[in-house]
Amino acid sequence: MPPHEPVDLTNCDREPIHIPGSIQPHGTLVVCDASASLVTRHAANAADVLGLAERDANGRPLDALIGGAAVHEIRNALARALDPSRPGLLFGQPLGDSGARFDVCVHRHKGHVVIEFEPAPPDGAGTPLEITRALTARLGRIDDTDDLVRAAARLVRSLLGYDRVMIYRFAHDGAGQVVSEARRADLESFLGQYFPASDIPQQARALYLKNTIRVISDADFQPIPIHPALDASGEPLDLSFAHLRSVSPIHCEYLRNMGVAASMSVSIVVGGELWGLIACHHYAPRVLSLGQRIAAEMFGEFFSLHLEALSNRRKLDSARSARQALDRLLTHASHQADILALLQDNLNDLMQLMPCDGIGLWVHGTWSSRGSAPPPRLAPVLARFVSTVSEARVWATHALSSGLPEAEAYKDEVSGVLAIPLSQRPRDYLFFFRKEVIQTVNWAGNPEKTYEVGPLGDRLTPRKSFAIWKQTVERQSGPWTAADREIAEATRAALVETVLRHNEMLADERSKADLRQKMLNEELNHRVKNILALIKSLVSHPVQPGRSLAGYIQSLKGRVQALGVAHDQVVRGDGGGGLADLLKAELSPYRERADAVTLEGPALALDSRAYSVMALVLHELATNAAKYGALSRASGCVEVRWTLSADGACEIRWAESGGPPVAAGQRQGFGSVLINRSVPFDLGGESEIHYPPSGVTARFLIPARCVQELDPAAPARDAAAKGSDSERDPTLLGLRILLVEDQLLIAMDAETMLVACGADLVETAASANEGLQRLAEFAPDAAVLDVNLGTGTSIPVAEELIRRAIPFVFATGYGDSITIPPSLRHVPVVRKPYDGDALVGMLTRAIAGAGKA
């Protein structure tokens, strides 16, 4: 830190708290390679806590330290843990021959397997399910957010025994307030106090979203270092998801200054954001078991979900009430031509849309107001100011005079304003006003106070005073909430799009709508005639010499069916879709010859408007080509190529050849008008069509706003001959598979993967004996065998499969193949946890090698 830089609490943001290089001493930690086979790091207390004879565990096989049975259970738990924030858990797991039992927490992160061990509590103590049920059962019946917050603190304290439990909520500026508290009777209350945003640094907030629980058992703990501190590539160990992660010495000193000896924090996450914390303090060292912590974590998640549900219900009720008020207003609007008079007459009703002290309307330079509002002479100043800052959107502030000095003159009446623009151009507004709220904020210490550098180097000494520091806040109203803004947006949409529909922009849109309706009616009539003419053309198409009647009927049937598919594609185009799919649907009835139609271009999608327009245009071109152009002759061809320009627009070129000679001006009916005018009129693009004797050519340019590139790396070159992407992978089609796996959830995942790739039947067995029984009952085409089944191996099943010449693969989560005998080393091995592509690919190779593919 530069010497001139002031020292304050933001310096905490420097500390890399996720890589402390140490753990807390109430447990120990071992780090292994990705397969959980070889120890690569360990905490300095590992030998003492686990009772190991070897002081240095690094480089040793994990099963040599804690026993093969324990390692097997740990690997199975790891296979179930798909996310590091949801680690695998084992309670009361015995290790080695000593019989000592530990609670184990294991997760995989950045290529490392991190295993945490804590001595297991006595039998029956700290059962996660029992604690969680006791906590959540009492919250489920609460239907008010304030009651929920108050009850949560009381329940957590009664069941976990901390001296103080607080519900701590973050404000929009990052500061936090204690909104609920349950405490020991002799302790001072923190309820209602604010804590500065700097008390919880940014990287700590980010970590609270990753790992939702953090425990400190003793604020005076001596950190246990991890050996080695850096791996071979010079990287420290990331402990973001570790329960035993050591804590910043700054935070520990902060707790000691408050007299706190132990703490626990559980994140409250609402809508993906950190809403607050359940903060627990104890004034003596306190070790919380892994089961109790998991229960607290589960409770935090239930509390977050319930809080979010109640908050959403409250927002929904407010929105419903606002919508009903707007509906009443719009009902009156449909019967009244003078919209300004309508709004003025209904200002009192509009005030009910959200909590406010006054309302104002500025339309065409006319000011109307109710309740607390600026004086009429200053209303134009307010309107001009809002037009410069709102960017024609809903805009709000709770401190108007800080941005508009003229508002100082009416600060007693108005300090907060929410403005809703009523026109596309920022000139007319509906204002909601709130009065000044002079409040006293109780801070736990002066939030603006700075501190001197202390014994922790260029990190700071945390503040030692938590006496209440009062701050008087003036010239501010109550803040506008997200719910207020949502109601404002709904009001804006209703007023602008419905009430003010008499303006010139909507009149122009009405004119266009009338023209579109006329064109639609003509197109409907035209399309019916086209379909009938096209079917007649298909039926009367000359039969090639030597072709049988049955072949002709089959060809005709296929063309009529393809025409039906094309028609469906056009009708269902309202939601947009792929350009290549649209072209194939329109041209597929005429692709009897492989070279009759050529399509080439990148994979692009059109929005709903462009898709609908181009469906009509391309249908018209295809129909004309079939009736009069290239597709009316057996030798005719149509080429359609499209490209994406640098600005994202799509250029489509249509070219016909090999058809009858084209005479200029030959086609000038409604269809030609549709081809020429639809793209420019509806999309603002370009269209050109020419009639040279060699065949019709056309060019269309679709604006970039209507186009989306789906897969730039894979241009679509006439992919009609390829199979559908939605077809089932035929790799294992019709095969019967035997799956030997001792973990139910893992077996279910593998079975789903195999069935998705076409397997007709998957029989599962949890042991070697059960697997042999299955083989006595049915003959599989192939098998997947988990090598280590906990109580034995699947080698007997493998030997029986070899005897029957049935191909199979081994599956293992182990890092080596020691358990596989030399006679079976040639069998393919797939690693666990299963990956669908790897599993099916390895099984396919085994089947192919056995000559059964």
Side-chain angles (χ1 to χ4, degrees), residues 210-436:
K210 287 184 178 180
N211 190 348
T212 57
I213 188 166
R214 190 220 61 201
V215 172
I216 300 174
S217 298
D218 188 347
D220 287 314
F221 77 90
Q222 294 299 315
I224 306 299
I226 295 173
H227 299 305
L230 304 177
D231 62 15
S233 60
E235 292 292 325
L237 180 63
D238 189 335
L239 293 176
S240 295
F241 300 97
H243 280 237
L244 295 174
R245 173 174 53 85
S246 190
V247 185
S248 163
I250 297 175
H251 184 69
C252 289
E253 185 174 357
Y254 179 94
L255 292 177
R256 290 194 296 271
N257 290 346
M258 297 179 71
V260 175
S263 74
M264 179 183 75
S265 299
V266 179
S267 304
I268 303 172
V269 180
V270 174
E273 297 182 352
L274 191 61
W275 183 93
L277 298 171
I278 301 174
C280 306
H281 287 175
H282 208 65
Y283 294 84
R286 179 174 178 77
V287 177
L288 210 64
S289 71
L290 178 62
Q292 291 173 308
R293 296 201 303 272
I294 296 303
E297 183 181 23
M298 294 168 64
F299 172 81
E301 292 178 356
F302 178 85
F303 175 83
S304 298
L305 290 173
H306 197 30
L307 178 64
E308 184 171 6
L310 293 179
S311 299
N312 288 340
R313 190 174 72 181
R314 178 183 288 181
K315 291 180 183 178
L316 185 62
D317 291 341
S318 299
R320 185 182 297 112
S321 175
R323 173 53 64 187
Q324 291 172 350
L326 287 174
D327 288 343
R328 291 192 297 270
L329 176 65
L330 299 181
T331 300
H332 296 314
S334 62
H335 304 293
Q336 186 167 340
D338 189 347
I339 303 301
L340 176 59
L342 172 72
L343 293 176
Q344 291 173 334
D345 293 343
N346 286 274
L347 284 179
N348 289 331
D349 290 337
L350 290 171
M351 278 187 66
Q352 308 306 313
L353 292 176
M354 67 183 74
C356 65
D357 298 304
I359 193 170
L361 179 68
W362 178 262
V363 176
H364 302 315
T366 301
W367 176 250
S368 307
S369 65
R370 300 286 189 278
S372 298
R377 64 182 179 83
L378 293 178
V381 179
L382 174 62
R384 285 195 298 271
F385 168 72
V386 172
S387 69
T388 63
V389 296
S390 66
E391 299 180 346
R393 300 176 181 174
V394 172
W395 179 85
T397 177
H398 67 290
L400 178 60
S401 60
S402 64
L404 180 64
E406 291 86 345
E408 185 75 20
Y410 49 85
K411 66 178 181 64
D412 293 338
E413 289 295 315
V414 173
S415 285
V417 60
L418 184 147
I420 302 175
L422 298 181
S423 57
Q424 296 294 335
R425 289 171 289 177
R427 62 182 184 188
D428 302 329
Y429 295 95
L430 179 66
F431 296 99
F432 292 85
F433 301 114
R434 286 180 179 171
K435 286 186 173 183
E436 176 186 31

Side-chain angles (χ1 to χ4, degrees), residues 33 35 37-38 61 63 75 787 812-820 825 829 831:
D33 57 12
S35 62
S37 299
L38 200 67
D63 55 5
R75 286 170 176 160
V787 178
T812 178
Y814 290 65
D816 52 50
S817 56
I818 294 175
T819 35
I820 301 176
R825 295 285 172 85
V829 177
R831 298 298 177 190

